[in-house]
Amino acid sequence: MISRSTFVAEVLGTGFLLAVIVGSGWAVQQLGAAPASQLFVHAVIVGAGLAVAIIVFIPFSGAQFNPAVTLALLIRRQLDAAAAAQIVGAQFVGGFFGLILANFTFASELMSMSSIDRSGAGRIAGEVFATFGLVLVILVLIDTHRESAIPAAVGLWVTTIIVATVSTGFANPVVTVARTFTDSYTGIEPGSVAPFIIAQLFGSLLAVGAARVLTHD
């Protein structure tokens, strides 16, 4: 069993993340800025918000907020299966609360199915790359005892992949599933979800292997 503080930290942190992702998407969409400006502003806001959430919650749960990260820790035996399952459950609970909050505050339906098609080989490859980089950053910083750098490094990486990948760097199965239920431009239609999640989990597995090669000579 995980502690109550771990569960609450994962609920709140993942909720904050989804509220920032979807909320910033609504905000830039309603401002009517050019698409390039929308993407850049959205990326900066999400990266900054994630960095703050990690700083706040990392003492309680490690600030995972992402089943791809939790999977990596499970494979490395830094979590057992029961704890990992509870943490992922907390992430989904928080993610959907954050999504609903963002939709509500921007006067949208609480949950509405997205119609944004994100299919295609390029987007799938982008998700492998984005998630591989995200998990690798975290694992290498843990293995080299630089955990204090995780908030800034993860926030900056997420900012980067939102702009630098054609998939806009979801890199998180909870984020992917939750974003099927928003009409904002951050949404994803349900048919694109499974390939994204498979790509993300594959990227996480690759990162576990790469971190081992780099830090376990």
Side-chain angles (χ1 to χ4, degrees):
M1 289 287 292
I2 61 174
S3 68
R4 181 175 60 182
S5 62
T6 296
F7 185 86
V8 171
E10 286 297 301
V11 170
L12 291 177
T14 314
F16 283 7
L17 175 59
L18 262 297
V20 168
I21 291 171
V22 177
S24 64
W26 279 119
V28 297
Q29 184 174 321
Q30 292 180 5
L31 289 171
S37 298
Q38 287 184 4
L39 185 62
F40 179 75
V41 172
H42 171 67
V44 171
I45 292 170
V46 172
L50 178 56
V52 171
I54 293 172
I55 291 169
V56 171
F57 295 113
I58 198 169
F60 308 105
S61 69
Q64 297 169 49
F65 311 154
N66 185 339
V69 174
T70 305
L71 173 64
L73 298 178
L74 174 64
I75 292 170
R76 285 160 49 107
R77 299 183 181 178
Q78 292 172 267
L79 289 172
D80 62 35
Q86 292 170 55
I87 288 169
V88 170
Q91 292 163 355
F92 272 98
V93 170
F96 274 93
F97 272 117
L99 166 87
I100 291 168
L101 176 64
N103 284 338
F104 175 74
T105 56
F106 282 90
S108 176
E109 294 181 36
L110 296 185
M111 297 179 75
S112 55
M113 200 64 69
S114 174
S115 59
I116 298 178
D117 180 13
R118 297 186 186 270
S119 60
R123 290 185 175 89
I124 303 307
E127 283 301 294
V128 174
F129 167 69
T131 313
F132 169 77
L134 174 65
V135 177
L136 183 64
V137 165
I138 294 168
L139 298 183
V140 168
L141 290 176
I142 290 172
D143 288 345
T144 56
H145 309 291
R146 292 179 291 162
E147 291 90 346
S148 62
I150 288 176
V154 170
L156 288 170
W157 179 254
V158 168
T159 299
T160 300
I161 60 176
I162 288 174
V163 178
T165 63
V166 69
S167 67
T168 67
F170 282 47
N172 184 327
V174 168
V175 167
T176 305
V177 173
R179 283 168 66 171
T180 62
F181 296 99
T182 178
D183 264 341
S184 74
Y185 96 105
T186 60
I188 176 173
E189 60 91 18
S192 301
V193 168
F196 265 46
I197 292 176
I198 292 169
Q200 291 156 4
L201 297 180
F202 181 60
S204 178
L205 294 175
L206 291 178
V208 170
R212 182 168 183 81
V213 170
L214 288 169
T215 64
H216 292 78
D217 285 339

